[in-house]
Amino acid sequence: MSLKSFIARKWASYIRKQIDRWAANPIATQENVFRSIIQKAKHTAFGRDHHFEQIHSYEDFVRQVPIRDYEALAPYIERVKKGEENILWPGKPLYFAKTSGTTSGAKYIPLTKESMPYHIQAARNAIMCYIAETGKADFVSGKMIFLQGSPILEKKNGIRLGRLSGISAHYVPKYLQTNRMPSWKTNCIEDWETKIDAIVEETIHENMTLISGIPPWVQMYFERLQQKSKKTVGELFPNFQLFIYGGVNYEPYHQKFEHLIGRKVDSVELYPASEGFFAYQDTQTQKGMLLLLNAGIFYEFIEADTFFSENPKRISLKDVQLGVNYVLIVSTNAGLWGYNMGDTVMFTSLKPHRIVVTGRIKHFISAFGEHVIAKEVEEALAETLAQQGGEVSEFTVAPQVNPPAGELPYHEWFIEFEQAPKDMEAFAHTLDQALQAQNSYYKDLIEGKVLQRLHITPVAKGSFAQYMKSQGKLGGQNKTQHLANDRSIADKLKNLDL
């Protein structure tokens, strides 16, 4: 065992004990966060507008602070962008994390001196939890790669601006600098395909032990490695031990990854966002990610089924239940208040509080009242691949509301197969049955002859990468939308010129 591995084990044990302390007192931990952020922000413009000095309880907060999405918060953010101080949080933010908004164009999410350390601490602690539980720490002596956006930052009225992953690159601890890849020069390449090729050149002969990134883009990296070397990733990197990922459900990519690697590799899931680092997988034996309750973020939840009603009920952590699909609402030490993340989550454990991300509140199919969500299509596909075989590179699902005359409408699955199943008819049948088991409304519509069984439309290899490129969203932190209530993605896929 190397000295680095020995120190990592000792440190991991200490960090795990700290985590267990706050996780064992979830409600008190959240109440402390709530009081702290309200107190610190009460003299800001937002705090004065919403009478923070009168907020003494969660019920007061609900009365004073309405739920907002980015568009509703934008007037305050515009003031911050112009250089005004003490608007959403005391002083000015350190950074704006620039993200691609679906309805409002680019979004500028503030990161403050209080919030930024939690992003770094959470990523570190996820690794520490893995080491503490498994005892595996040899990977800390090898090379580690974090596939991320460019670290080049702009400046706007004294506030630095960039992608969250690029901002985080400036905070890599000194003890990891010699292990970290790719090089700064390569990391600054903007074009994703050029960047991937450069990363392959830099890493192909290295002792890679930890690889991190969003699964579809790591998959592209693995494919390029394999094409160049004619070896599996596991053969190239015999000491590759840990895959860290976030942003999308890993299950639809799992079989493809094992094929590319040539063996099983442990994985750790993260739930980072520009708005906050919300959760990470703290154990290899239980489903879900530990919700970070002591990270300067106060959480609220609204049942997804009621979210679009006139006055949906908001609840705090003490009232959440297992197995309910909630819209995630956050208030943070970066100056977001009653902020609708747009993500939906479900609790898998309440001792401690662990969640899975089930999708986006705006990403669903309910053309016929079925309200199918991302978690359901992803799990149905994973089950089907396990039963019927095949490998999937990427997919998306859309309703077909205008079928040929005499036919019932249906869900159309656009799937890019790396390896098609032997029997596509059996694959489609199993997939439909799996989705019916996931969603009773969908099952009722099938049995009631409102919908016919789903259709699978295989697309050519490279179709999804070409689609994402056409949208200016190839690589980095961008993710393919796995379902939509319209055919905007479906029609573009059909019209690709490959």
Side-chain angles (χ1 to χ4, degrees):
M1 182 190 299
S2 70
L3 179 60
K4 268 191 174 181
S5 299
F6 176 78
I7 293 172
R9 283 187 176 184
K10 292 293 185 182
W11 193 18
S13 177
Y14 170 73
I15 293 295
R16 180 76 244 195
K17 289 175 183 176
Q18 286 188 318
I19 292 167
D20 289 342
R21 277 197 288 272
W22 62 253
N25 296 282
I27 307 307
T29 299
Q30 274 287 273
E31 287 176 350
N32 287 338
V33 170
F34 175 76
R35 287 194 296 269
S36 174
I37 61 175
I38 292 294
Q39 178 66 24
K40 288 180 180 177
K42 68 180 181 180
H43 297 303
T44 62
F46 189 96
R48 291 193 300 271
D49 289 348
H50 296 82
H51 307 291
F52 274 22
E53 78 281 355
Q54 298 175 14
I55 294 177
H56 305 291
S57 66
Y58 174 58
E59 291 71 25
D60 292 338
F61 182 78
V62 170
R63 282 192 293 270
Q64 300 290 99
V65 181
I67 299 297
R68 281 180 168 86
D69 57 14
Y70 182 84
E71 290 74 22
L73 195 67
Y76 288 98
I77 290 178
E78 286 301 315
R79 292 175 64 183
V80 181
K81 284 167 64 179
K82 291 175 181 176
E84 291 188 51
E85 297 186 4
N86 305 317
I87 302 302
L88 289 164
W89 191 254
K92 287 184 180 181
L94 289 178
Y95 304 96
F96 276 123
K98 188 177 180 182
T99 69
S100 299
T102 55
T103 58
S104 59
K107 296 181 179 180
Y108 295 82
I109 307 298
L111 295 166
T112 64
K113 65 179 180 181
E114 290 84 3
S115 70
M116 194 64 216
Y118 287 109
H119 285 268
I120 310 308
Q121 183 186 94
R124 179 204 70 189
N125 287 358
I127 297 174
M128 292 297 105
C129 284
Y130 171 80
I131 294 173
E133 181 181 45
T134 66
K136 298 175 183 178
D138 290 344
F139 67 89
V140 302
S141 298
K143 296 290 186 181
M144 307 178 187
I145 189 167
F146 302 89
L147 294 177
Q148 56 192 192
S150 170
I152 296 175
L153 304 179
E154 305 170 34
K155 211 161 193 180
K156 197 175 188 71
N157 293 320
I159 302 170
R160 285 165 288 182
L161 167 68
R163 301 284 179 179
L164 175 64
S165 61
I167 293 168
S168 299
H170 292 263
Y171 287 82
V172 175
K174 287 184 179 179
Y175 61 83
L176 286 181
Q177 289 289 4
T178 56
N179 300 65
R180 180 180 180 274
M181 299 193 83
S183 66
W184 186 267
K185 180 180 177 181
T186 293
N187 219 13
C188 291
I189 297 172
E190 289 289 349
D191 180 75
W192 184 252
E193 291 180 288
T194 304
K195 183 173 185 171
I196 283 290
D197 288 338
I199 290 173
V200 168
E201 291 295 331
E202 284 192 358
T203 59
I204 196 166
H205 299 299
E206 295 287 348
N207 176 30
M208 304 303 302
T209 56
L210 181 151
I211 296 172
S212 175
I214 292 179
W217 311 125
V218 175
Q219 179 177 301
M220 183 182 291
Y221 166 57
F222 285 172
E223 288 169 344
R224 298 285 174 91
L225 283 168
Q226 193 174 65
Q227 289 165 11
K228 186 171 180 64
S229 68
K230 310 303 179 189
K231 295 180 180 180
T232 66
V233 174
E235 289 171 326
L236 272 177
F237 306 140
N239 297 316
F240 174 32
Q241 180 182 328
L242 184 61
F243 172 50
I244 299 179
Y245 69 94
V248 300
N249 187 346
Y250 182 39
E251 284 307 310
Y253 305 94
H254 197 269
Q255 285 188 311
K256 172 68 173 173
F257 266 62
E258 285 196 6
H259 176 77
L260 288 167
I261 298 168
R263 56 182 167 85
K264 291 183 182 293
V265 170
D266 287 347
S267 62
V268 170
E269 183 177 8
L270 310 178
Y271 182 14
S274 299
E275 294 85 352
F277 203 125
F278 301 125
Y280 53 69
Q281 182 182 346
D282 69 314
T283 174
Q284 296 286 300
T285 62
Q286 301 291 324
K287 187 176 182 181
M289 295 175 284
L290 183 70
L291 189 64
L292 303 185
L293 306 178
N294 72 330
I297 302 166
F298 178 72
Y299 300 95
E300 297 179 83
F301 307 89
I302 297 175
E303 288 192 29
D305 289 345
T306 68
F307 183 75
F308 293 107
S309 61
E310 187 175 341
N311 190 27
K313 184 178 180 181
R314 299 158 62 175
I315 60 172
S316 62
L317 190 73
K318 67 183 179 65
D319 293 318
V320 298
Q321 299 177 11
L322 294 174
V324 177
N325 201 33
Y326 292 110
V327 178
L328 181 64
I329 310 297
V330 298
S331 298
T332 77
N333 58 2
L336 301 178
W337 301 103
Y339 186 86
N340 171 20
M341 280 297 301
D343 291 342
T344 54
V345 301
M346 189 177 290
F347 283 88
T348 60
S349 165
L350 300 182
K351 293 182 180 180
H353 286 82
R354 294 195 181 100
I355 59 169
V356 292
V357 180
T358 55
R360 299 278 295 166
I361 191 63
K362 292 181 179 179
H363 293 175
F364 59 86
I365 298 177
S366 197
F368 312 96
E370 62 273 42
H371 207 92
V372 171
I373 60 175
K375 172 180 176 287
E376 293 165 348
V377 299
E378 289 164 351
E379 292 191 1
L381 180 59
E383 289 174 23
T384 304
L385 289 167
Q387 291 183 44
Q388 295 292 335
E391 289 179 8
V392 168
S393 296
E394 196 53 276
F395 78 99
T396 194
V397 190
Q400 178 50 272
V401 298
N402 296 306
E407 289 190 22
L408 293 173
Y410 55 87
H411 287 187
E412 187 172 10
W413 288 62
F414 294 81
I415 303 180
E416 184 179 325
F417 287 102
E418 180 66 25
Q419 179 183 325
K422 293 180 179 178
D423 187 337
M424 191 67 78
E425 175 66 21
F427 188 92
H429 174 76
T430 301
L431 182 58
D432 198 76
Q433 291 295 310
L435 187 57
Q436 288 186 48
Q438 290 281 337
N439 187 298
S440 60
Y441 299 110
Y442 178 73
K443 181 179 181 180
D444 289 344
L445 291 167
I446 295 287
E447 292 180 346
K449 307 297 183 187
V450 176
L451 294 177
Q452 61 172 298
R453 193 194 72 185
L454 62 82
H455 288 202
I456 293 177
T457 300
V459 299
K461 290 183 180 180
S463 292
F464 279 91
Q466 185 64 32
Y467 163 72
M468 293 296 281
K469 189 174 183 178
S470 72
Q471 303 300 299
K473 294 185 177 182
L474 183 65
Q477 304 304 111
N478 296 304
K479 303 170 283 269
T480 299
Q481 186 176 323
H482 281 165
L483 75 173
N485 205 36
D486 58 35
R487 294 186 63 81
S488 56
I489 301 173
D491 291 343
K492 288 183 175 70
L493 282 170
K494 282 193 168 182
N495 292 326
L496 284 176
D497 184 17
L498 293 178

